[in-house]
Amino acid sequence: GAVVSQHPSRVICKSGTSVKIECRSLDFQATTMFWYRQFPKQSLMLMATSNEGSKATYEQGVEKDKFLINHASLTLSTLTVTSAHPEDSSFYICSARWGETDTQYFGPGTRLTVL
Amino acid sequence: GIQVEQSPPDLILQEGANSTLRCNFSDSVNNLQWFHQNPWGQLINLFYIPSGTKQNGRLSATTVATERYSLLYISSSQTTDSGVYFCAVEDSNYQLIWGAGTKLIIKP
């Protein structure tokens, strides 16, 4: 089956620093990648949708200057949390799909802790 | 937008028991998926099931699209089945709308 990886799996950083999370589709070309955020004991919340070579579409309430998304190739998307604060601590999950009607495949997630 | 409701929110069972998880949705959908999120956070696709019944080992799922619900059956539960089970439906824009999940704990 399709495999999506995320790196790092866990990151701890100081308040005010920026953190970059990578999402890679390992065995298929992903025309679309999605970034989700999950708070403890809650469901996934879609943050943004990114299509290769174009700007990401952010969901209402998600600050695009805070969460920078780059989808530079068909196998890589990055999420950068800029000037991170403790309230940004969360579990971030990416997913990828190759066609509009195809299923999404999920990465293992990245647990971000901001001190 | 489409609303997705899952029940029960929590379920505690002894190893070997059977269980049924339910997912109701409020409008017509392109597709429906069941996921298992393990204790480490990894989401695993269980079923991609817009309608009908599918089986995979001890797990099976049935979606009745006309009545807007889906059921996930787990038979002979094992401790490794513990985790959160999510139902997600695809709306007309092929985006996933998630239920709140059912947290399943299987005790040895």
Side-chain angles (χ1 to χ4, degrees):
Chain A
V3 179
V4 177
S5 70
Q6 275 184 248
H7 178 81
S9 58
R10 184 182 296 267
V11 57
I12 301 172
C13 69
K14 292 183 179 180
S15 187
T17 60
S18 294
V19 175
K20 180 184 284 188
I21 302 170
E22 292 186 349
C23 177
R24 294 182 184 271
S25 56
L26 298 185
D27 52 1
F28 66 99
Q29 292 186 328
T31 54
T32 305
M33 288 185 170
F34 302 86
W35 287 96
Y36 294 87
R37 183 173 181 175
Q38 187 179 28
F39 291 103
K41 300 184 180 181
Q42 293 190 24
S43 187
L44 279 72
M45 180 190 77
L46 179 65
M47 298 174 66
T49 302
S50 78
N51 293 296
E52 186 265 339
S54 62
K55 289 184 178 180
T57 301
Y58 290 81
E59 296 299 302
Q60 192 172 6
V62 178
E63 299 175 60
K64 60 181 180 182
D65 295 330
K66 173 84 174 163
F67 299 100
L68 300 178
I69 292 172
N70 187 330
H71 191 165
S73 76
L74 286 172
T75 58
L76 173 65
S77 177
T78 59
L79 167 68
T80 301
V81 182
T82 61
S83 187
H85 291 284
E87 58 266 29
D88 299 323
S89 298
S90 194
F91 192 55
Y92 293 88
I93 305 174
C94 75
S95 70
R97 71 181 185 200
W98 56 86
E100 186 181 66
T101 59
D102 294 307
T103 191
Q104 293 180 33
Y105 291 92
F106 288 81
T110 296
R111 193 164 302 282
L112 170 64
T113 303
V114 184
L115 302 176
Chain B
I2 298 175
Q3 305 296 313
V4 180
E5 294 183 356
Q6 290 187 243
S7 59
D10 299 279
L11 189 57
I12 302 174
L13 299 171
Q14 288 296 134
E15 199 167 25
N18 301 329
S19 59
T20 301
L21 282 58
R22 187 177 180 100
C23 173
N24 293 332
F25 45 98
S26 61
D27 205 345
S28 300
V29 298
N30 288 332
N31 214 324
L32 183 143
Q33 292 181 261
W34 283 99
F35 295 88
H36 176 216
Q37 187 171 38
N38 67 22
W40 297 271
Q42 173 74 64
L43 278 165
I44 300 166
N45 296 65
L46 297 177
F47 294 103
Y48 191 66
I49 183 167
S51 63
T53 297
K54 291 185 178 180
Q55 181 155 7
N56 184 1
R58 296 182 295 103
L59 274 62
S60 65
T62 295
T63 297
V64 183
T66 54
E67 297 186 22
R68 299 177 184 166
Y69 74 89
S70 183
L71 302 173
L72 177 68
Y73 305 97
I74 305 173
S75 64
S76 304
S77 300
Q78 300 176 358
T79 55
T80 51
D81 294 330
S82 296
V84 182
Y85 290 80
F86 287 105
C87 165
V89 302
E90 284 182 10
D91 65 11
S92 56
N93 294 318
Y94 298 100
Q95 289 204 352
L96 289 177
I97 312 297
W98 296 79
T102 292
K103 183 176 181 180
L104 176 64
I105 297 174
I106 305 297
K107 293 187 171 182

